[in-house]
């Protein structure tokens, strides 16, 4: 069964086929897609259909992709996935008009809590481009620590090699931040 989650302002739920239009509308915005490793630009209806089908058909043990639904409806997406390395990776994006309102911090807090408390993950990994201070702020607020630097090439910018920061958060680091005072 898919793990729907609720926060104070958000519902984190499974993708459904009716999400195609808002998914495509928001990810076909270069301001959103330019910092995402696997999202092409322009983002087509076929890209959105592929993504939704992938999310619905991939076992939850390999990838959990939640729609972030806020007061304005479909607002973005957040995922926990295992790549070839087997490491759980946190990824996310939010519609541009909702940036700076704390929604992503709220959603990412819920997902890290789920990862540690329900899935029993020892560590969650993620990365962000140096040019994405908003994402780096979200990760810093959650307690993620830098573990390395390198370069990445987002699919939306295939000719560019951009500085990237790798981060992780261990269950112990997370628990220390959530221990009663």
């Amino acid at each position: 069964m898919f793990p729907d989650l609720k926060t104070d302002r958000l519902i984190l739920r499974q993708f459904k086929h009716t999400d195609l239009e808002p998914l495509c509308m928001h990810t076909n915005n270069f301001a959103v897609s330019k910092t995402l490793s696997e999202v092409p630009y322009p983002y087509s209806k076929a890209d959105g259909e592929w993504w939704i089908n992938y999310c619905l058909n991939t076992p939850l043990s390999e990838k959990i992709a939640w729609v972030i639904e806020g007061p304005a409806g479909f607002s973005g997406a957040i995922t926990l996935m295992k790549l070839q390395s087997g490491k759980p990776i946190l990824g996310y994006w939010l519609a541009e008009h909702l940036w700076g309102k704390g929604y992503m911090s709220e959603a990412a807090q819920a997902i890290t809590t789920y990862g540690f408390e329900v899935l029993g993950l020892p560590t969650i990994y993620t990365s962000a481009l140096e040019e994405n201070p908003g994402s780096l702020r979200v990760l810093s607020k959650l307690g993620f620590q830098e573990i390395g630097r390198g370069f990445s090439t987002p699919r939306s910018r295939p000719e560019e090699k951009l500085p990237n920061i790798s981060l992780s958060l261990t269950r112990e680091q997370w628990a220390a931040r959530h221990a009663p005072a």
Side-chain angles (χ1 to χ4, degrees):
M1 175 183 270
F2 190 86
D4 290 333
L5 304 172
K6 290 185 168 104
T7 69
D8 289 342
R9 301 181 294 168
L10 306 171
I11 295 171
L12 307 176
R13 63 164 175 81
Q14 186 172 32
F15 270 90
K16 46 191 181 184
H17 291 289
T18 55
D19 294 321
L20 180 62
E21 184 179 329
L23 169 67
C24 291
M25 178 180 71
H26 294 304
T27 51
N28 196 38
N29 174 351
F30 189 68
V32 171
S33 65
K34 74 179 185 176
T35 59
L36 302 174
S37 60
E38 298 298 324
V39 176
Y41 181 83
Y43 193 87
S44 69
K45 182 178 176 186
D47 294 322
E49 289 170 340
W50 179 89
W51 173 251
I52 291 171
N53 287 325
Y54 176 73
C55 292
L56 293 173
N57 294 311
T58 300
L60 296 177
S61 60
E62 293 177 34
K63 180 181 205 75
I64 308 173
W66 289 269
V67 165
I68 300 170
E69 195 169 281
F74 185 106
S75 301
I78 188 164
T79 63
L80 264 179
M81 64 182 156
K82 291 184 181 175
L83 297 178
Q84 294 82 0
S85 65
K87 295 178 180 179
I89 307 289
L90 173 70
Y92 52 79
W93 64 268
L94 192 66
E96 184 179 16
H97 71 282
L98 298 171
W99 293 355
K101 299 180 185 333
Y103 291 121
M104 189 50 69
S105 294
E106 193 172 321
Q109 177 65 53
I111 299 308
T112 55
T113 298
Y114 178 80
F116 292 126
E117 287 185 354
V118 177
L119 299 179
L121 300 174
T123 307
I124 298 173
Y125 298 87
T126 192
S127 66
L129 294 177
E130 280 185 9
E131 69 179 39
N132 190 348
S135 187
L136 291 168
R137 269 193 308 278
V138 166
L139 297 169
S140 175
K141 283 194 267 184
L142 291 172
F144 277 81
Q145 302 292 313
E146 182 177 328
I147 56 173
R149 289 181 177 248
F151 293 90
S152 66
T153 301
R155 277 187 64 197
S156 62
R157 301 154 79 179
E159 305 302 319
E160 297 181 55
K161 194 171 183 179
L162 303 166
N164 191 56
I165 301 171
S166 296
L167 306 106
S168 71
L169 179 64
T170 67
R171 185 185 334 206
E172 291 77 20
Q173 290 167 330
W174 175 84
R177 294 175 69 90
H178 294 87

